């Protein structure tokens, strides 16, 4: 097959059908090709069946994908509602939220930062401390 020739399945099927449509003319002049023409007809018939099966499953895939997207949106909304309730129960900055898969809000003002955690830059080596 020349490289410029169309290799799509539809074009190939048209070429096979053209040969099969002229089957009687071909076997009249070249009777030894009857077996190959029969094999081509069987292959073309199986290809049609497989293409129909492929189209059926492509439709089913689109259907299932739509259901998955719909259920995923519903699950995200439900998780959001549950998260809102947990934040209301424990507080927006509570570390309890982590165990449920939610990120607590970071403290924003200096008075909200816990005092029990020393600043790691206080004892930075190489700095002269005035005492």
């Amino acid at each position: 097959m020349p490289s410029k020739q169309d290799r799509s399945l539809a074009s190939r099927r048209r070429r096979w059908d053209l040969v099969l449509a002229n089957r009687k003319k071909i076997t009249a002049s070249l009777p030894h090709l009857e077996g190959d023409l029969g094999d081509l007809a069987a292959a073309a018939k199986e290809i049609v069946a497989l293409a129909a099966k492929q189209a059926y499953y492509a439709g089913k895939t689109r259907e299932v994908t739509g259901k998955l997207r719909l259920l995923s949106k519903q699950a995200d909304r439900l998780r959001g509602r549950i998260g809102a309730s947990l934040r209301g129960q424990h507080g927006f900055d509570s570390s309890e939220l982590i165990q449920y898969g939610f990120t607590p809000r970071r403290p924003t003002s200096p008075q909200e930062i816990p005092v029990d955690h020393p600043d790691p830059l206080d004892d930075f080596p190489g700095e002269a401390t005035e005492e």
Side-chain angles (χ1 to χ4, degrees):
M1 182 184 309
S3 62
K4 291 184 180 181
Q5 202 164 12
D6 191 5
R7 294 178 186 255
S8 71
L9 182 60
S11 296
R12 293 162 72 190
R13 284 175 59 185
R14 277 192 302 273
R15 290 192 296 269
W16 302 331
D17 290 342
L18 186 60
V19 170
L20 291 173
N22 292 305
R23 185 175 186 171
K24 288 183 181 180
K25 288 182 184 177
I26 294 171
T27 55
S29 61
L30 302 166
H32 65 280
L33 292 179
E34 181 62 40
D36 289 341
L37 288 167
D39 291 343
L40 178 60
K45 186 176 180 180
E46 189 173 353
I47 287 169
V48 168
L50 287 174
K53 195 174 188 179
Q54 184 182 37
Y56 170 78
Y57 284 119
K60 285 294 184 184
T61 300
R62 283 191 293 275
E63 181 182 322
V64 169
T65 300
K67 287 180 181 179
L68 275 170
R69 286 185 179 150
L70 184 67
L71 284 173
S72 295
K73 284 183 181 181
Q74 181 183 359
D76 285 340
R77 282 193 303 270
L78 289 169
R79 182 183 180 274
R81 288 174 51 190
I82 292 167
S85 295
L86 288 170
R87 286 182 184 98
Q89 175 73 28
H90 298 289
F92 284 86
D93 55 354
S94 173
S95 61
E96 290 274 326
L97 297 173
I98 295 171
Q99 70 182 354
Y100 302 113
F102 296 97
T103 305
R105 184 173 56 186
R106 296 177 61 186
T108 55
S109 62
Q111 59 266 26
E112 291 182 27
I113 298 174
V115 181
D116 59 338
H117 291 55
D119 188 6
L121 297 178
D122 285 344
D123 296 324
F124 191 71
E127 268 189 26
T129 57
E130 296 180 29
E131 291 184 27

